[in-house]
Amino acid sequence: MKKKFRFLAFIGIVSLFMLAACGGGDSADSGSSEDGGDEGSSDVKFLSILTGGTQGTYYPLGGSFAEFISEETGIKTTAESSQASAANMTALADDTAEIAFVQTDIAYYANKGELMFDGQAIDNVSALGSLYPETVQLVTTEKSGIKSYDDLKGKKISVGAPGSGTYANAEQLLEIHGLTMDDIDAQNLDFGESTESLQSGQVDAAFITSGTPTGAVEGLNATTQVYIVPVEDAKADELIEKYPYYAKDTIPSGTYGLTEDVPTVSVGAMLVIQNDIPDDVVYDITKAIYENTDKITHAKGQLIKAEKGLEGIGIPVHAGAQKYFDEVNGN
């Protein structure tokens, strides 16, 4: 009887130890989860990249980036069309997406709470990396008769979709040429709508800020002779002096069937990401994009280089992206 009692007592003690061990394991797992919310890509299952209109440059590049991220990190990533830069910054601030294309000037305004973000600074978004120059193109057709900015007064001009960086560029270039939005019949159209309206004669010219060659403008050139209104050197200098995030640029001869180089200006294209995406995940995303640029079929892919990933950025860089670029640059 005593033996039986001792045996049952032994079993009870062993069971208590096993329960304690299990409880301790659960506690450790819970602590690990709390301490390690920054530990791996497994915590992030889906990502959305906001681009721009389907006929711009952001959209096809976004599709490539989404594919790279999905393949390299295992995080299902999709590219979404959008109203472009300013709207993209607002969407990330509102937590409706995680990554977005944006012009460097618009990212700067959002971070500082200036211009279209006056009093509403966006502080939950940081830079993932710079991409390529975004050329400001004032597109018209040979039949419009518009050859310079002086010819724009009183004409129907597309100045970009509401919430786009193109609108800000149009406003600033008009200003440098002594014009305002009140001097033209401004139309808020996206790139595709702009070129369709140019083709049908519903607008006389259109501002398009995008990497060249831009699909929408190429499509227009397939049906009618495209003309790009030049920004003269002195005006470019004046613009850059007042708005230093611009740079001089050239649309080379042969683009859109042009017979000579056209001087203009550009801002930068960049990617931004929400601050609360874990550092290691952002590191993996950045690496996935910048180490697969040789697979990009769009002409702008040749300009996207890890060595230039921090150029022209005027807002804080996400720590995960900074780590990647430090490694690339040997810092």
Side-chain angles (χ1 to χ4, degrees), residues 12 23 49 92 94 109 152 154 187 189 197 204 210 220 224-225 232 247 263 313:
I49 304 176
L92 264 62
D94 293 342
Y109 299 148
L152 298 181
Q187 307 291 308
L189 308 175
S197 296
D204 301 298
S210 179
L220 175 64
T224 187
Q225 181 60 54
E232 301 301 337
I313 290 176

Side-chain angles (χ1 to χ4, degrees), residues 56-259:
T57 302
Y58 288 171
Y59 188 74
L61 286 177
S64 295
F65 294 168
E67 184 179 334
F68 301 157
I69 295 168
S70 297
E71 290 178 351
E72 299 291 339
T73 70
I75 302 171
K76 184 176 180 181
T77 306
T78 58
E80 313 289 343
S81 63
S82 73
Q83 292 294 316
S85 293
N88 287 356
M89 290 297 294
T90 300
L92 264 62
D94 293 342
D95 202 31
T96 56
E98 294 76 37
I99 305 171
F101 283 76
V102 63
Q103 292 175 199
T104 51
D105 53 336
I106 302 304
Y108 177 86
Y109 299 148
N111 182 257
K112 298 296 184 183
E114 297 178 358
L115 292 185
M116 69 283 288
F117 299 99
D118 186 25
Q120 298 178 326
I122 293 175
D123 59 6
N124 70 323
V125 175
S126 52
L128 190 148
S130 63
L131 299 172
Y132 57 85
E134 289 244 81
T135 306
V136 184
Q137 307 164 72
L138 179 50
V139 183
T140 185
T141 61
E142 290 288 351
K143 63 184 179 182
S144 74
I146 296 174
K147 298 297 180 183
S148 71
Y149 276 79
D150 292 338
D151 298 326
L152 298 181
K153 197 165 185 176
K155 300 292 179 67
K156 285 187 177 181
I157 312 297
S158 172
V159 294
S164 71
T166 299
Y167 185 94
N169 301 144
E171 193 169 42
Q172 290 159 358
L173 275 161
L174 288 171
E175 174 195 348
I176 293 303
H177 288 88
L179 300 168
T180 70
M181 289 291 178
D182 292 335
D183 293 315
I184 63 173
D185 184 358
Q187 307 291 308
N188 296 115
L189 308 175
D190 66 23
F191 296 166
E193 292 168 339
S194 292
T195 52
E196 288 171 8
S197 296
L198 277 168
Q199 184 177 0
S200 64
Q202 292 178 304
V203 299
D204 301 298
F207 283 93
I208 292 179
T209 301
S210 179
T212 56
T214 305
V217 185
E218 287 187 308
L220 175 64
N221 186 61
T223 60
T224 187
Q225 181 60 54
V226 165
Y227 180 80
I228 307 294
V229 178
V231 177
E232 301 301 337
D233 200 56
K235 289 298 182 183
D237 288 336
E238 190 178 342
L239 181 73
I240 293 166
E241 183 177 355
K242 186 165 186 178
Y243 304 107
Y245 38 76
Y246 283 98
K248 291 182 180 179
D249 200 358
T250 300
I251 302 175
S253 172
T255 308
Y256 314 134
L258 299 172
T259 57

